[in-house]
Amino acid sequence: MRTKVGIIGSGPAGLMLSHLLHLQGIESIVLENRSRKEIEETIRAGVLEQGTVDLLKETGVADRLLKEGFLHHGIELQFRGRRHRINMNELTGGKSITVYAQHEVIKDLVATRLQDGGQILFDVRDVRLLDIETSSPKIRFQKDGVEEEIECDFIAGCGGYHGPSRKAIPEQVRKEFKHTYPFSWLGILAEALPSNPELIYSNHETGFALISTRSSDIQRYYLQVEPTDIIENWSEDRIWTELHRRVDLNDWKLNDGPIIQKNIVPMRSFICETMQYGRLYLAGDAAHIVPPTGAKGLNLAVADVQVLSKALTNFYHEQETELLTQYSKICTRHVWKAQRFSAWMTRMLHRNFDHSPFEYGLQLAELDLVTSSASAAKSLAEQYVGLPLEY
Ligand code: FAD
Ligand code: DHB
């Protein structure tokens, strides 16, 4: 097989890249080691920045998002038993976020790619990258027990944090940064009515909680738990007791109901600044992970492939390589700012039980500042709806 761009991974990064390239008449093949059903059912992110929604709209994959997604103009921050609204729309000159599940974005992109005649090979095995330092890199893999090879001009490594692409860059060349946080998130989906018209980020003395939504009858809630905790320790009763403790107010109670899904995810920051090596370009979680508090991961994946598709378009249509050369630099600049924001939100909102009462006092003062100073609130709002991608 031969194609122009071989894409490893059909997450938001891989699928969106394939879609953007197709709109420019550039062919690609996407390789995915899971089934279509599995990728369309994996529960992950929910918050889409203004820029992500705009891009999905401009490129014709936002019909369902516009009908079923929830447009939010603000978020609420809760601490010391009180709620404070950040009016993002007003503070950013009209920008907002949309709550629409990542697996719905995946469904929309897969359907559009297949409708447009795109090739997505699901259930592939043993994906290997070869000759990435040459002008004809190759991807070898197994499909239905048969060894296959795709020869390409470029490889886009979009296989997420555990995918094979980053590891294909020699270790001594990769410039990487890591940080782990002393928290994990327990996420649930519950059959319940929406609890609040906007997201609530709550800093409670027993830990952080986040109230989000998925539809008029399914809600998405998160709880800060210990990084060593396991899901078996969390019965339905214990989850509801803790959620109610962390978000209920005298005159407001969280809506609960049967829990239909629950899992624990660790929190870490990671950046591989070497996003390009030879003809291999990393995008999304393959190159960087942010803690989920800032809701940035999916949006960064989309931002990377926006730059990469433009760079590849310049290469194919204008024989121009400048943007390809600048790819790592442009993306890592944007990613570092999102890392900073996500780490800041994480520190401000989670309860760190190793902190002294003084450090906890500083944390509450930080929350007090962003909810009482217009300029501090503006800074949070600008970053939450998404900073512009500068290039
Ligand atoms: P992925 O979505 O990980 O996709 C990679 C794909 O590659 C997968 O389908 C995988 O199966 C495939 N793959 C892996 N290995 C191979 C292989 N060897 N061969 C072939 N294919 C392979 N982000 C936000 O923007 N907003 C949020 O609100 C938000 N909330 C989150 C909440 C939680 C609980 C979690 C866990 C994450 C959240 N994120 C959020 C982060 C977001 O989900 C990720 O950043 C996003 O999925 C990254 O997309 P990606 O395409 O780079 O990688
Ligand atoms: C959701 C996830 C996040 O990480 C976040 O900060 C806000 C909302 C969600 O899944 O809805």
Side-chain angles (χ1 to χ4, degrees), residues 53 55-67 108:
V53 172
L55 186 67
L56 293 167
K57 264 200 254 180
E58 281 158 23
T59 61
V61 274
D63 288 359
R64 229 158 49 86
L65 181 157
L66 293 174
K67 266 191 247 133
D108 297 342

Side-chain angles (χ1 to χ4, degrees), residues 299-312:
N299 295 290
L300 288 175
V302 170
D304 286 350
V305 300
Q306 205 176 343
V307 180
L308 186 53
S309 65
K310 177 83 176 98
L312 290 167

Side-chain angles (χ1 to χ4, degrees), residues 44-47 185 199 201 210 212 214 220 222 292-295 384:
R44 291 184 82 180
V47 173
W185 272 18
L199 270 57
Y201 288 82
L210 169 59
S212 182
R214 284 296 179 266
R220 180 75 164 146
Y222 297 97
T293 328
Y384 195 85

Side-chain angles (χ1 to χ4, degrees), residues 62-318:
D63 288 359
R64 229 158 49 86
L65 181 157
L66 293 174
K67 266 191 247 133
E68 296 170 25
F70 296 92
L71 184 68
H72 286 192
H73 290 318
I75 54 170
E76 297 205 82
L77 299 182
Q78 179 172 327
F79 60 101
R80 282 201 173 116
R82 281 194 59 204
R83 266 201 210 141
H84 309 259
R85 179 162 192 261
I86 306 281
N87 188 333
M88 296 181 307
N89 196 258
E90 230 172 74
L91 290 161
T92 61
K95 291 187 184 165
S96 44
I97 55 117
T98 299
V99 181
Y100 186 66
Q102 175 166 330
H103 67 280
E104 303 295 346
V105 176
I106 297 284
K107 281 185 208 163
D108 297 342
L109 284 168
V110 168
T112 305
R113 281 312 294 126
L114 296 179
Q115 239 166 41
D116 290 344
Q119 276 200 75
I120 309 172
L121 306 181
F122 293 105
D123 295 304
V124 300
R125 295 282 171 269
D126 197 15
V127 172
R128 285 145 287 155
L129 295 85
L130 300 160
D131 303 332
I132 54 176
E133 289 164 57
T134 73
S135 55
S136 61
K138 293 158 197 79
I139 308 174
R140 273 204 203 131
F141 58 99
Q142 303 236 332
K143 173 87 183 136
D144 304 323
V146 180
E147 180 84 357
E148 304 272 5
E149 182 176 285
I150 303 179
E151 198 184 321
C152 345
D153 297 335
F154 296 93
I155 297 178
C158 304
Y161 183 73
H162 299 288
S165 305
R166 189 178 62 256
K167 294 169 215 150
I169 303 176
E171 207 175 338
Q172 65 276 19
V173 176
R174 273 187 264 144
K175 196 166 174 202
E176 296 181 344
F177 302 82
K178 279 190 186 110
H179 180 75
T180 51
Y181 300 82
F183 326 112
S184 283
W185 272 18
L186 187 165
I188 64 159
L189 283 179
E191 284 173 346
L193 296 173
S195 290
N196 202 52
E198 292 178 337
L199 270 57
I200 306 167
Y201 288 82
S202 174
N203 173 320
H204 187 266
E205 56 190 6
T206 61
F208 167 74
L210 169 59
I211 303 310
S212 182
T213 187
R214 284 296 179 266
S215 65
S216 55
D217 45 16
I218 305 280
Q219 307 313 317
R220 180 75 164 146
Y221 304 148
Y222 297 97
L223 276 176
Q224 169 190 346
V225 297
E226 291 295 314
T228 50
D229 219 336
I230 52 168
I231 199 70
E232 288 72 26
N233 289 341
W234 287 85
S235 65
E236 211 163 296
D237 263 6
R238 185 174 174 209
I239 292 172
W240 288 122
T241 305
E242 210 44 54
L243 275 167
H244 281 297
R245 192 197 324 272
R246 296 184 194 183
V247 294
D248 281 0
L249 301 172
N250 289 337
D251 56 352
W252 186 96
K253 296 265 169 299
L254 185 71
N255 288 332
D256 54 33
I259 294 177
I260 52 173
Q261 203 255 1
K262 57 176 181 177
N263 69 335
I264 291 183
V265 288
M267 282 184 125
R268 58 173 172 253
S269 283
F270 169 79
I271 302 193
C272 171
E273 279 193 347
T274 318
M275 288 179 69
Q276 174 260 329
Y277 180 74
R279 286 288 181 104
L280 168 66
Y281 290 77
L282 303 179
D285 279 15
H288 40 73
I289 300 284
V290 288
T293 328
K296 290 283 163 250
L298 181 158
N299 295 290
L300 288 175
V302 170
D304 286 350
V305 300
Q306 205 176 343
V307 180
L308 186 53
S309 65
K310 177 83 176 98
L312 290 167
T313 303
N314 288 358
F315 174 86
Y316 283 110
H317 293 179
E318 287 152 41

